[in-house]
Amino acid sequence: MRHGPRATRIVPLVGLLLLLGACQTPPEAQRESPTPEPTVEVLAEGLQAPWSLASYRDALLVSERDTGKISELLADGSTRVLGTVPDLEPAGEGGLLGLAVQRDSLFAYYTTAKDNRVLRFGLEGEPGELALGRSTVILSGIPAGRIHNGGRMAIGPDDLLYVSTGDAGIPSNAQDLKSLGGKILRVDADGQVPEDNPWPDSPVYSLGHRNVQGFDWADDGTLYASEFGQNTWDELNEIRPAGNYGWPRIEGFGADADFRDPLQVFAPAEASPSGLCVGKDAIYLAALRGERLYRIPPADPEQSQTLLTEQYGRLREVQCAADGSLLILTNNTDGRGTPRDTDDRLLRFTPPPAPLP
């Protein structure tokens, strides 16, 4: 099912924290609010291969894969560069990828000449005048390549940092517990391994992944992740500690009790998923090659609805806001898309009401 937006307009970047979860409206008032009409608003444009969004106080930060810039998006839709990640070696799908914020620390996932790493910066100053403080590498030795670098990061409900990695084009990495490739990792803010990780002294939380570039938690603590397949099936998975998701032995559904099956699969030509978020009523999955947004009901994850199909090109990142709207990064300037004059853009999308079950 395809739904187009009712209107498209450019608006200032005002009140982004309200969009991203700082809204103080009581739940009762939210339930009584009228259902918003579907709209798309352009919050910023002219971004170069943007990859990730992260909120800090009243600011929204964005990473650019190839330039290595971390920028603050200002109220008038312009950007202000906080700094550039050092030792960056962008190549193919590698470069500056995911961002995550925990209190006054900013985490950045990036590619060097030798590996993928996670760098922690201090954040200094106030929104509009933010600066990057002292930096520390907290994770290194993650396999890197021109393809399959993973790169998504987020702070979990347990206040720990989760990091997705790809197999770096070497499928055997995904099943090798000595390799950090093809995994979801779980560490603290210093890169140390929590005592309750599945394997002692290992940051590995789950394995058997080809290339995870999106994950998020539902309110009940369920962790969902999107995964690039090879030629047959992309996947939506429910992530469990110590779960093995089969790559390269299995792509999609299998008949092996040692591996966890996906909740849903998608043809790569129609998906190639990247960012993922869990909203009030659905899981939202941003598709690159498929140039669309999937809406998936958690109660029936074998079903899905498509939105924005082929309207804005490749969709890299999606974040769910407290008011039901979504923040979406397009990704048409990454060398694989067909950029328009104003690409790439940050969109605010208010989706249509979810279909009745």
Side-chain angles (χ1 to χ4, degrees):
M1 184 183 303
R2 177 173 171 178
H3 291 271
R6 182 179 181 183
T8 302
R9 58 194 178 97
I10 298 178
V11 299
L13 273 166
V14 177
L16 281 170
L17 270 190
L18 297 180
L19 304 182
L20 286 170
C23 181
Q24 301 300 313
T25 306
E28 294 79 5
Q30 292 178 8
R31 286 196 296 267
E32 294 172 0
S33 299
T35 302
E37 293 290 340
T39 58
V40 175
E41 301 165 335
V42 179
L43 300 180
E45 53 190 29
L47 304 174
Q48 297 301 307
W51 212 94
S52 183
L53 295 168
S55 59
Y56 176 70
R57 300 183 184 174
D58 291 325
L60 191 65
L61 308 179
V62 62
S63 65
E64 291 187 348
R65 186 192 69 185
D66 298 335
T67 66
K69 294 177 182 177
I70 299 172
S71 298
E72 179 182 0
L73 300 176
L74 302 176
D76 62 0
S78 64
T79 59
R80 176 183 166 275
V81 177
L82 275 66
T84 303
V85 171
D87 304 320
L88 186 75
E89 291 286 343
E93 297 172 5
L96 173 57
L97 304 179
L99 301 178
V101 169
Q102 183 184 48
R103 292 179 281 280
D104 292 330
S105 293
L106 172 68
F107 301 90
Y109 185 106
Y110 69 108
T111 308
T112 74
K114 297 180 179 180
D115 58 4
N116 284 307
R117 299 180 179 181
V118 177
L119 190 66
R120 186 187 67 215
F121 290 98
L123 282 170
E124 301 174 352
E126 298 298 324
E129 298 179 350
L130 290 175
L132 298 179
R134 182 177 178 181
S135 64
T136 304
V137 174
I138 66 163
L139 273 179
S140 60
I142 300 169
R146 292 189 62 84
I147 58 173
H148 308 173
N149 290 284
R152 192 66 62 190
M153 297 192 298
I155 305 298
D158 51 12
D159 206 34
L160 294 171
L161 177 67
Y162 289 70
V163 181
S164 73
T165 71
D167 68 8
I170 303 174
S172 59
N173 281 339
Q175 293 294 326
D176 183 359
L177 275 173
K178 295 180 181 179
S179 171
L180 298 183
K183 311 294 192 298
I184 292 178
L185 311 178
R186 178 178 182 253
V187 296
D188 67 15
D190 296 318
Q192 300 301 305
V193 175
E195 292 183 358
D196 60 347
N197 264 19
W199 291 276
D201 302 318
S202 171
V204 174
Y205 188 74
S206 64
L207 73 159
H209 299 293
R210 184 172 181 266
N211 194 21
V212 171
Q213 288 192 354
F215 58 86
D216 194 16
W217 292 262
D219 288 342
D220 64 2
T222 302
L223 176 57
Y224 297 98
S226 61
E227 181 157 348
F228 280 88
Q230 186 173 28
N231 299 318
T232 310
W233 298 118
D234 296 328
E235 299 176 358
L236 170 68
N237 286 302
E238 179 184 335
I239 302 300
R240 300 286 183 89
N244 189 329
Y245 292 83
W247 178 254
R249 291 270 302 276
I250 292 174
E251 182 181 357
F253 295 100
D256 192 323
D258 291 335
F259 304 127
R260 294 190 62 85
D261 276 344
L263 300 174
Q264 185 175 169
V265 295
F266 311 86
E270 297 177 355
S272 299
S274 187
L276 178 151
C277 70
V278 183
K280 294 179 180 179
D281 61 347
I283 302 163
Y284 291 91
L285 187 154
L288 291 164
R289 186 177 170 191
E291 297 187 356
R292 67 196 70 188
L293 184 72
Y294 284 92
R295 176 160 58 185
I296 302 158
D300 190 8
E302 296 181 2
Q303 303 300 316
S304 64
Q305 177 191 25
T306 58
L307 306 166
L308 302 180
T309 304
E310 297 180 349
Q311 294 183 43
Y312 295 94
R314 293 161 58 84
L315 306 182
R316 171 65 70 183
E317 164 77 304
V318 58
Q319 291 197 4
C320 295
D323 65 352
S325 66
L326 308 171
L327 293 181
I328 299 172
L329 278 176
T330 69
N331 207 192
N332 298 313
T333 58
D334 69 344
R336 293 184 176 177
T338 303
R340 300 169 174 87
D341 290 341
T342 58
D343 277 334
D344 271 307
R345 292 175 282 179
L346 171 64
L347 310 173
R348 180 193 179 194
F349 175 44
T350 301
L356 294 175

